[in-house]
Amino acid sequence: YESQLCGIDNKNIKPNKDCHESVSSISKAMADVLRDLDYVLSTDANYLLGHWIATARSWGETDSQKALLEFNARNQITLWGMEGEITNYAAKAWAGLVGDLYLPRWQVLFDALDDAISNGSSEIDMIKVGDQVLALGQKFSNGTKTYNPNPIDTPSAKASGQLFQKYSVLDRAKYPKIIHGVNVTSESMVGPMWTENIGQLGFLCATDPKCNGFTSEGMLFYGTFSTQPAAGVDSYVAKHAADNY
């Protein structure tokens, strides 16, 4: 997504201040999503890293046995071998794992993208990314942080409702202009997105300060745009672009 907007894989890429802002904004949004995922997972006993580790340690009789069992439990769901022989083979969407491993791994990728933009490179340094991801997995495998083996007190239904409100209900203050029965043509269109939910599209557009709005067909639009009649299609214009429409 951001590769398309910033020109990664385009041999004529140049450092771009606006693109830095977009990467920073989208990176923060991605971190929020992962923290929220970690939160909702922590409400269910079936999705807890803490339970996995506590169960593994319970098989040991001595401190050294418990430590070895914890290492193996951590390593199995991450690297499955100290050099990442089959990384992610047993990956899990568990509270604790999402927040403490997957989130930092995503940040490594966003940092690499930002470095490519800064250097005017046409490619992300995926060798460096791979080395950093491996190091994160090794650190996690050898970690000793204690995780709660029990779910938090917040019911799963309540946590899900909170996140539905955050991600699936349109924030009208950010999209004051809704144009019914028209489609948009712009300098740059991205999509269709993975959803046609209006609230989710609004969230996706709002993560990037360059996004001028979206259509009910799941397209985000950027730059100068125009409209044309289109039955059954609605276009939502972001607040910062509404005055220019």
Side-chain angles (χ1 to χ4, degrees), residues 69-91:
L69 287 161
E70 177 173 352
F71 165 79
N72 282 317
R74 287 168 171 264
N75 187 257
Q76 184 196 12
I77 58 176
T78 54
L79 299 180
W80 202 310
M82 282 313 296
E83 298 302 320
E85 283 76 1
I86 42 178
T87 298
N88 291 333
Y89 181 74

Side-chain angles (χ1 to χ4, degrees), residues 170-172 174-180 182 184 196-199 201-202 205 211-217 219-221 225 233-239 241:
L170 183 66
D171 184 348
R172 285 297 307 276
K174 295 180 179 179
Y175 301 95
K177 186 179 290 293
I178 302 175
I179 315 169
H180 299 287
V182 301
V184 166
E196 291 186 0
N197 176 280
I198 298 304
L201 290 168
C205 182
C211 181
N212 285 333
F214 63 93
T215 73
S216 57
E217 292 185 325
M219 300 296 295
L220 310 186
F221 54 87
F225 61 93
V233 180
D234 297 327
S235 295
Y236 298 74
V237 184
K239 183 177 180 180

Side-chain angles (χ1 to χ4, degrees), residues 4 8 12 22 27 73 115 132 136 154 233:
Q4 182 174 347
I8 299 298
N12 297 317
S22 292
S27 175
D115 286 344
Q132 291 177 321
L136 286 172
T154 305
V233 180

